[in-house]
Amino acid sequence: MIKSIGRHALTAATTITLSGAAVVAPYGPAEASSFSATYTCTVPVLGSRPVTINGRLTASADQATVGRPLRFHLRISRLNLRTPVPIDSWTAVAEIDVNGARTGSFRMTGTGGPVTPREPISGDLFGSWTPRTPGTARFRGANVALTARVARVGQLTAACTPTTPRPVMETVTVLQP
């Protein structure tokens, strides 16, 4: 019984890792921008695992303007691992770094419901960023934390960091109002 629970914890942890990594990606103004990013996730029981995430990020406005918040929707479309055990629900927090005219960061968060075994994990995260300086802003994925609830195991959290060098996921020109 203990061996079986350990195996389920291991597979659930692997699943969490990939879901968490999926969470990180920056934005493209007005139209969706596809991305692919790699992370290293530390998963309970499993240790460090490489993860590749593909997704699409959309912004709420056609133009980025100083002082006007931009809302982001991140749709994770493909992870390189499928869950071997059922996940009851999950939550994720992803940091996005902003560099260029001014440096900073913002958070994207999301939650998801059940994920059946052997099905890919996908999901949606939301966040906002308010530019403070006109100029070019470059967005790169930063740290991600994903928590999954698994019936037989409980709550598991995976911490993911982007690999170096971090690719620029999107570039936006911020205008003065």
Side-chain angles (χ1 to χ4, degrees), residues 8-21 23 40-49 51 87 89-94 107 110 143-150 153-161:
H8 287 295
L10 180 67
T11 53
T14 301
T15 299
I16 290 170
T17 297
L18 293 178
S19 296
V23 173
T40 300
C41 297
T42 302
V43 183
V45 180
L46 295 177
S48 293
R49 298 284 187 235
V51 176
I87 291 178
S89 64
W90 58 268
T91 59
V93 176
R107 288 182 174 214
N143 295 335
V144 175
L146 178 82
T147 302
R149 285 158 213 53
V150 179
V153 179
Q155 186 169 294
L156 298 170
T157 300
C160 303
T161 56

Side-chain angles (χ1 to χ4, degrees), residues 22 26-27 45 68 71 78-79 113 115 129 134 140 143-144 154 156:
Y27 105 122
V45 180
R68 181 178 171 207
R71 290 185 309 270
R78 181 178 131 347
L79 302 174
V115 179
W129 173 69
R140 291 181 171 89
N143 295 335
V144 175
L156 298 170

Side-chain angles (χ1 to χ4, degrees), residues 47-60:
S48 293
R49 298 284 187 235
V51 176
T52 300
I53 308 152
N54 295 331
R56 189 170 294 275
L57 185 64
T58 56
S60 63

Side-chain angles (χ1 to χ4, degrees), residues 15-162:
T15 299
I16 290 170
T17 297
L18 293 178
S19 296
V23 173
V24 207
Y27 105 122
E31 64 184 61
S33 214
S34 295
F35 69 90
S36 180
T38 57
Y39 285 80
T40 300
C41 297
T42 302
V43 183
V45 180
L46 295 177
S48 293
R49 298 284 187 235
V51 176
T52 300
I53 308 152
N54 295 331
R56 189 170 294 275
L57 185 64
T58 56
S60 63
D62 289 338
Q63 291 184 329
T65 305
V66 171
R68 181 178 171 207
L70 294 173
R71 290 185 309 270
F72 300 97
H73 171 207
L74 173 61
R75 175 69 183 155
I76 302 305
S77 59
R78 181 178 131 347
L79 302 174
N80 63 348
L81 185 67
R82 296 171 189 259
T83 178
V85 296
I87 291 178
D88 298 330
S89 64
W90 58 268
T91 59
V93 176
E95 290 286 330
I96 304 298
D97 285 342
V98 183
N99 298 76
R102 184 173 180 173
T103 61
S105 65
F106 68 97
R107 288 182 174 214
M108 296 192 78
T109 60
T111 60
V115 179
T116 58
R118 310 286 183 252
E119 290 297 316
I121 299 169
S122 62
D124 298 290
L125 285 93
F126 300 91
S128 66
W129 173 69
T130 302
R132 304 281 182 219
T133 307
T136 301
R138 289 176 294 282
F139 298 83
R140 291 181 171 89
N143 295 335
V144 175
L146 178 82
T147 302
R149 285 158 213 53
V150 179
R152 291 186 179 185
V153 179
Q155 186 169 294
L156 298 170
T157 300
C160 303
T161 56

